[in-house]
Amino acid sequence: MPFLPIYDNNPRVYISRPYVVWSLIALNVLGFVWQTSGGDQGFQTVVYRYGFIPAVFGGAAELPPAFGAAPSALTLITSQFLHGDLFHLVFNMLFLWVFGDNIEDALGHGKFLVFYLLSGVAAALAHFGFNIGSEVPVIGASGAISGVLGAYLLLYPRAWVMTPVVFIPLMLPAGLMLLFWFGSQLLNVFEGDAASNVAWWAHIGGFVVGLALVGPMKRPMVPLFGGHRPPKNLRVHTAAARRRSRPDPARTQDQAEAAEAPDQGPWAGKGPWNRNAEKPSTSGRKGPWG
């Protein structure tokens, strides 16, 4: 990923705390601790057991039964919580921390979890489609987080994100940064960077699926391309609402005195609406609608 987000100025509107984002970060950290707890041999064993291997998923290869690998379909999920090294983990979690809370806010806790996992599954399938015979395990949350980036681009392109440019932290438009990020993924694919161990197609697949899913899954009141400002008058302070609903004795008295006082305006008694001003009705009617 060609840029490193540090902070965005996009406030949450509908949720107070992004519990799902926090939980996903915790699970990824625990998964990495589990990977490294068995040394190098244990690390590789976990990767092959629970990583996504295209050749195994497609039936072109299989792991020894004694190896105890997870079902290949299940690795579409388990691979999302494993990472290759500490830098890989920290980089992914930083992206999830900066961008994920606003998408959880826009979708809600439950829908965001489904959205995140579906983006990760779609990312793995996109990688499988272009690497069917590969026996190299694919691990990492990058595919699912790419879906989060796609959703962020569609919902908050005018938000501002702080990122270091030549070691100088600058606030840049999220839309510009995310389009640049997606373009860099396409460029790496077309250049055919075979020496890289990055699953570029997984990033592209997750991003595209994030764009496709966020529209039908977001809250109805969340606008597309809404920028970083929350909707106006969304929240009503309950105490203020109660104060407005209670009559103010002083204001009520003023209104009553104003109603009893004769109209002293320049049009008083000069219009057709005042024809009956000197002939009050004995029936109590105030007009044809009374």
Side-chain angles (χ1 to χ4, degrees):
M1 296 181 179
F3 68 92
L4 186 67
I6 299 175
Y7 161 80
D8 70 340
N9 72 336
N10 197 357
R12 294 188 301 273
V13 178
Y14 305 97
I15 62 174
S16 59
R17 294 176 177 82
Y19 295 115
V20 177
V21 167
W22 294 351
S23 300
L24 290 171
I25 291 174
L27 287 173
N28 278 277
V29 172
L30 290 174
F32 185 74
V33 170
W34 176 47
Q35 285 179 258
T36 57
S37 62
D40 291 342
Q41 183 64 35
F43 186 95
Q44 293 297 326
T45 299
V46 171
V47 169
Y48 274 89
R49 279 181 177 175
Y50 300 101
F52 177 75
I53 305 175
V56 174
F57 182 78
E62 61 180 32
L63 294 169
F67 194 71
S72 58
L74 183 60
T75 61
L76 291 168
I77 301 295
T78 57
S79 62
Q80 300 180 36
F81 297 92
L82 306 176
H83 287 84
D85 53 40
L86 182 60
F87 179 79
H88 187 202
L89 171 69
V90 172
F91 209 68
N92 278 340
M93 295 304 100
L94 181 58
F95 271 76
L96 181 57
W97 175 266
V98 172
F99 296 105
D101 66 319
N102 293 112
I103 306 305
E104 182 176 349
D105 183 51
L107 273 63
H109 302 301
K111 284 187 178 181
F112 173 73
L113 178 59
V114 173
F115 171 88
Y116 180 90
L117 295 176
L118 286 179
S119 296
V121 169
L125 293 177
H127 177 78
F128 169 76
F130 291 91
N131 301 272
I132 295 178
S134 174
E135 297 181 0
V136 178
V138 177
I139 58 175
S142 301
I145 296 171
S146 296
V148 172
L149 299 185
Y152 201 98
L153 174 63
L154 204 60
L155 293 180
Y156 309 110
R158 292 182 292 162
W160 292 83
V161 181
M162 179 180 288
T163 184
V165 177
V166 194
F167 304 105
I168 300 175
L170 298 176
M171 295 293 287
L172 300 175
L176 178 64
M177 295 176 64
L178 294 175
L179 286 174
F180 176 74
W181 176 89
F182 185 65
S184 69
Q185 309 307 299
L186 293 174
L187 182 63
N188 281 291
V189 166
F190 293 139
E191 285 183 346
D193 189 2
S196 174
N197 61 351
V198 178
W200 302 113
W201 277 113
H203 294 177
I204 294 171
F207 189 89
V208 171
V209 169
L211 288 173
L213 290 180
V214 69
M217 294 186 71
K218 70 179 181 64
R219 301 177 193 267
M221 68 285 291
V222 175
L224 297 177
F225 311 107
H228 66 276
R229 289 186 176 87
K232 294 181 179 179
N233 301 324
L234 177 66
R235 293 176 176 171
V236 177
H237 195 286
T238 54
R242 287 195 297 269
R243 286 196 297 269
R244 286 196 295 269
S245 64
R246 291 196 300 265
D248 185 348
R251 183 178 179 84
T252 303
Q253 181 65 25
D254 292 342
Q255 291 175 343
E257 292 176 356
E260 294 176 358
D263 188 356
Q264 300 299 328
W267 298 100
K270 297 182 180 180
W273 51 86
N274 284 319
R275 287 174 181 171
N276 297 325
E278 299 178 357
K279 301 178 181 179
S281 172
T282 57
S283 63
R285 291 171 58 86
K286 303 299 183 182
W289 56 87

